[in-house]
Structure formats: structure tokens, C-alpha cells
Amino acid sequence: MPVEPPTGDALLPLLGRTVADGAVQAGLAQFARGLQPELDPDDEDSYVDWITINEIGLEFGFEDEGYVLGKDLDQRRLGVLLLTQLYFYGDTPRTQPFPYALPFGLEFDDDRAAVRAKLLAYEASRRSYVRDAWRLPKFTVVAAYRSDNGLLESVLCFVPASPRTPLPGAADRARPFTPDALAALFGQRWSSDVLRERLEPLGYVRVLPEVRAHHCADLRIHHGIEFTFAAGRKVPAADPLYPDAYALAGVTFYGPRVYDARQWAGALPFGLDFEDSQADIAAKIARRPDERLDMDRVGFVMWHLDAYTLRAEFSNIENKLLKVTIMAPGFWALSGASEHRTGDRRG
């Protein structure tokens, strides 16, 4: 009796299952010669391992369950690994094309219109930019296209990491910290009584040693916000009498699980939302960006406004806003950051 060839569709139900699941083990045996994932024992911050089979253009991505579920750090690397990513590659510099039927009836000869037609049932969830992304009930699908002919290059299916549970009172705590209120603090010295008092609801005083050592108040794990400091000579709003004293130069608001952050619970500039796509960002800030940079996985747009410089960074995989930074007017130019950027420019 002939054996049915394997298909990409047959692998999709494995997403979200543990590595010990019988069906996952069968998939690894069939496609990956039984190779098993393992987190790096010497890296406590390692939460993912990939098994890549280049000769058939297939990659299994496994992540620590505690990380996927957004548990606290002391609850990570204690449980099982979950299969959260399946990557089906075409003909790329490092892979042969996946030789079996792709999920959703897709083919590597499909152009963008054909791919969208085959996923028409999920059209309401589609976000498009460099890639197309669809949010299905159990996982997200991302289609990437070749730069030379526009045909399908790869298909990624993955289970997004869960948002971390907000701390009690997060919205009330964040409410006073509007972008304008924070911009009014630009130029304040890192140790000033003003910053100590204004930012204490976010636990600023507790991280003062970090600010002194690293010129950054990293509060993203608890509150989804980060404060950056720079020498006063680079922050026009700083006291010119103290050009070497570190002053508040920027504030970054983080989306859920961006660098493992809790989502910032307060307001964002121009009514931005972490669910916004690249098109949504452009619609809410209805003027051409002063700067724009697109790389393979991420990109950003930037506006130099009177009150602050606004930088919106987005994912070019999921096509959603990742984080928003406001900077003291003039700081971006004085910091030299604009002269040291690399990547692919688009539009």
C-alpha cells in the first residue's frame, strides 16, 4: 500500500505541543533524524533552540514553556520545551526548498496576489508591509517574498509569546506619565530631586545605582518603560553649566514581550497603539517621516518635532509596533546616532 507523502499542513497541529509529545517526536524522527532540542546549559538567558534541516528547507523552533507563558525569571528553564515555530524555506543561500506540499496549498511559484488568495479566509487579520502576516486563532502565519522576482520565499508559522501579566495598578500608575509630561523632564540631571520625586511611582530611586553605572533606568520588566541619559553637552535642554553631568535624553515605551518587557500601560504619542501596523503608524502621524530605515526583521520611522524627536520601531515580520521612543529635541543629531546606522533602506 503506497505511503502518503508528508505535508506542511500535517505539521501545523504540532504547534504549541511539548517536545515529549508523541506526534512531535514522530515529526523529529521523520524530518530531523531524531535530533532533539536543548537549551544552552551555560546561558541562563537562553530560552530557544532551533533544529534546522537545510537540505529540506525546514526548521523547528522550540522555546522554554516558562518564557512562552510570560512567567517570572525564577520560573524559567524549569519546565518543558514547546514547539512554537515551523519555518518552511524555499531556495535560499542556505536551504534547499521544502520538497513537500506547503501549508494552505501554497507554492514557491506563488506571487503575492496568489498567496493572499489562498489565505483569503483570514483576510480580516492580514497585515502587510515587506511581508504579509495573518493571525489565525492558534498561531500566526508570515509569508516572505523574494526580492528578485516577488515570488514566495518562505512561510513561517509560530505561536506568539503570551503577554506578561500587568502588575496591580499598572494603568493608574502610568496615567500621569504622558509623553508631554515626560518630555518636560528632558535635561534634568539623573540624580536631581525632580526626577527622584516625579519618577518614584515607577521605582526610579531603586535603580539609581544602575543609572549611575550604565546611564539607563531599565524599568521595562516591571513597567515597560526605560529612561536614557547622556552627557549634558548632547542634550540641549540640560544645564549648560554641567556639560559632563548625565541628563535625561530619552524615554522608550515597550510593547508586550519586546525584550521580555511588560507592556507600557500608559499613553503613547499621537494615540499610537502597540497593535498598530506600519500603515496605522503612518495614518496617525500624518506627515512624511524625517528619517526611515528598514532592515530585514525590524524598521523604524522618525519625526523631529518641536516637543521631542519621535521614533517608532516596528516588526517587519508581524507588521506591528514594537516600541516608541521620545528624545529631547536635538539629541538625535548631537548623539551621532544618525551617522552610524546600517541596514536596508526602503521608501
Side-chain angles (χ1 to χ4, degrees), residues 224 253-258 261-264 274 321-324:
F253 310 98
Y254 285 87
R257 301 310 300 275
V258 177
R262 282 183 166 84
Q263 178 175 331
W264 170 245
F274 291 116
L321 183 64
L322 295 175
K323 59 181 182 177
V324 177

Side-chain angles (χ1 to χ4, degrees), residues 178-190 192 194-195 198-199 226-230 232 234-239 246-253 269 305-310 325-331:
T178 65
D180 287 341
L182 290 170
L185 300 176
F186 286 143
Q188 290 289 332
R189 295 171 65 181
W190 69 275
S192 71
V194 172
L195 288 189
R198 299 279 183 87
L199 302 183
E226 184 176 48
F227 298 89
T228 302
F229 297 83
K234 297 181 180 180
V235 185
D239 189 335
Y246 278 79
L248 181 61
V251 181
T252 298
F253 310 98
L305 309 172
D306 291 339
Y308 46 73
T309 288
L310 170 61
T325 300
I326 58 173
M327 290 172 272
F331 169 67

Side-chain angles (χ1 to χ4, degrees), residues 68-333:
V68 174
L69 297 180
K71 295 183 178 179
D72 290 335
L73 298 182
D74 60 357
Q75 300 178 60
R76 308 273 179 90
R77 295 172 58 97
L78 300 176
V80 298
L81 295 179
L82 303 179
L83 175 62
T84 59
Q85 303 171 43
L86 289 167
Y87 232 126
F88 304 91
Y89 290 101
D91 185 10
T92 74
R94 68 185 185 94
T95 65
Q96 296 294 314
F98 185 68
Y100 311 109
L102 290 171
F104 307 103
L106 296 171
E107 299 178 2
F108 290 119
D109 287 334
D110 288 339
D111 62 12
R112 200 162 198 166
V115 171
R116 291 177 179 179
K118 291 179 178 180
L119 285 155
L120 190 60
Y122 312 105
E123 178 66 15
S125 72
R126 176 169 61 84
R127 296 162 174 259
S128 295
Y129 190 57
V130 179
R131 294 171 173 84
D132 287 328
W134 296 262
R135 290 184 180 178
L136 278 60
K138 294 184 178 180
F139 54 87
T140 295
V141 180
V142 179
Y145 303 94
R146 296 173 61 98
S147 59
D148 56 351
N149 58 18
L151 300 182
L152 183 65
E153 181 177 66
S154 66
V155 180
L156 167 63
C157 301
F158 70 95
V159 178
S162 301
R164 301 187 72 183
T165 303
L167 296 180
D172 290 338
R173 186 182 303 109
R175 189 170 292 115
F177 298 104
T178 65
D180 287 341
L182 290 170
L185 300 176
F186 286 143
Q188 290 289 332
R189 295 171 65 181
W190 69 275
S191 59
S192 71
D193 290 339
V194 172
L195 288 189
R196 290 169 183 259
E197 294 171 4
R198 299 279 183 87
L199 302 183
E200 185 46 30
L202 301 175
Y204 179 72
V205 172
R206 292 193 295 277
V207 297
L208 279 175
E210 177 185 334
V211 177
R212 179 194 295 271
H214 304 294
H215 313 137
C216 173
D218 184 354
L219 301 168
R220 58 191 162 84
I221 298 300
H222 290 99
H223 305 296
I225 194 169
E226 184 176 48
F227 298 89
T228 302
F229 297 83
R233 71 174 70 88
K234 297 181 180 180
V235 185
D239 189 335
L241 294 177
Y242 303 98
D244 296 322
Y246 278 79
L248 181 61
V251 181
T252 298
F253 310 98
Y254 285 87
R257 301 310 300 275
V258 177
Y259 298 113
D260 214 10
R262 282 183 166 84
Q263 178 175 331
W264 170 245
L268 297 177
F270 291 87
L272 291 172
D273 187 279
F274 291 116
E275 286 299 308
D276 286 343
S277 66
Q278 293 92 334
D280 296 326
I281 297 168
K284 289 182 176 180
I285 307 174
R287 53 166 274 191
R288 186 178 181 84
D290 295 303
E291 300 192 40
R292 183 186 201 104
L293 178 66
D294 271 306
M295 294 169 282
D296 180 48
R297 294 178 175 271
V298 298
F300 72 79
V301 283
M302 181 176 294
W303 293 265
H304 300 299
L305 309 172
D306 291 339
Y308 46 73
T309 288
L310 170 61
R311 183 183 190 274
E313 182 173 320
F314 45 80
S315 166
N316 279 338
I317 296 178
E318 295 183 76
N319 295 331
K320 61 181 289 189
L321 183 64
L322 295 175
K323 59 181 182 177
V324 177
T325 300
I326 58 173
M327 290 172 272
F331 169 67
W332 177 254

